[in-house]
Amino acid sequence: KVISKDSFFQSFISAKKLIPLTHAFRLLLQGSIGYTQINNIKNLPLSLQLLAGGSNSIRGYGYNTIGPGKGIYTASAELQFRIKDNWFLTGFYDSGNVSDHPFQDIKSGAGPGILWQSPIGSIALSFAKQLESKNKWMLQFSMGPQL
């Protein structure tokens, strides 16, 4: 018989939308929100904790360096400009946080990037900076489907 100190409930939703604006421009919007109901977050295994940061979350922050906490919210807007065939220059703004107190101490990152839309998904290189600190710029890499 397995005995647990805490029971918990967790919900999480994310959405992405790629909007073609013209032949040359498109806009990628994405966001996520989630919440974990638990008495003590330290009793939840790390694999189930809510974390943010990194190339697929809030760029300019290291992978999963924001959190853990009971609530997560992230939002991102990325303008993509086609320079040739499936190559795009990008500019992005990401924001959000993971905490026990919703919508406080919002973290933001922004910067330029380059993206190649390959047959199996996008390959992107971003040059990102945290906006609320004097940290240096961070080079981040991601690959996979945009939607």
Side-chain angles (χ1 to χ4, degrees):
K1 183 175 179 181
V2 176
I3 299 173
S4 174
K5 291 181 181 179
D6 276 324
S7 59
F8 75 99
F9 173 80
Q10 187 174 69
S11 62
F12 183 85
I13 188 168
S14 65
K16 287 184 179 183
K17 175 89 173 162
L18 186 61
I19 305 165
L21 302 173
T22 67
H23 172 70
F25 285 97
R26 60 190 194 177
L27 181 63
L28 176 65
L29 300 174
Q30 54 187 343
S32 63
I33 191 165
Y35 186 75
T36 302
Q37 178 60 50
I38 191 168
N39 289 333
N40 186 348
I41 195 77
K42 294 178 183 178
N43 291 337
L44 193 63
L46 186 58
S47 62
L48 295 174
Q49 292 186 18
L50 300 173
L51 300 163
S55 61
N56 291 313
S57 178
I58 304 172
R59 288 168 279 193
Y61 287 84
Y63 177 72
N64 284 351
T65 57
I66 303 171
K70 291 183 179 182
I72 184 172
Y73 52 94
T74 64
S76 176
E78 179 175 290
L79 185 62
Q80 301 176 347
F81 172 69
R82 184 185 311 271
I83 52 176
K84 183 172 170 65
D85 300 325
N86 290 333
W87 286 91
F88 295 84
L89 290 178
T90 65
F92 62 87
Y93 176 81
D94 304 333
S95 67
N97 199 5
V98 177
S99 74
D100 293 343
H101 308 287
F103 306 103
Q104 292 183 2
D105 191 28
I106 295 174
K107 314 240 185 283
S108 300
I114 189 161
L115 179 142
W116 176 52
Q117 187 64 51
S118 80
I120 58 170
S122 64
I123 298 173
L125 195 61
S126 300
F127 198 52
K129 179 160 183 4
Q130 297 175 17
L131 298 182
E132 46 289 321
S133 72
K134 294 184 178 184
N135 287 356
K136 297 182 180 181
W137 288 83
M138 179 180 285
L139 191 63
Q140 294 178 304
F141 173 79
S142 68
M143 57 190 242
Q146 283 201 309
L147 294 179

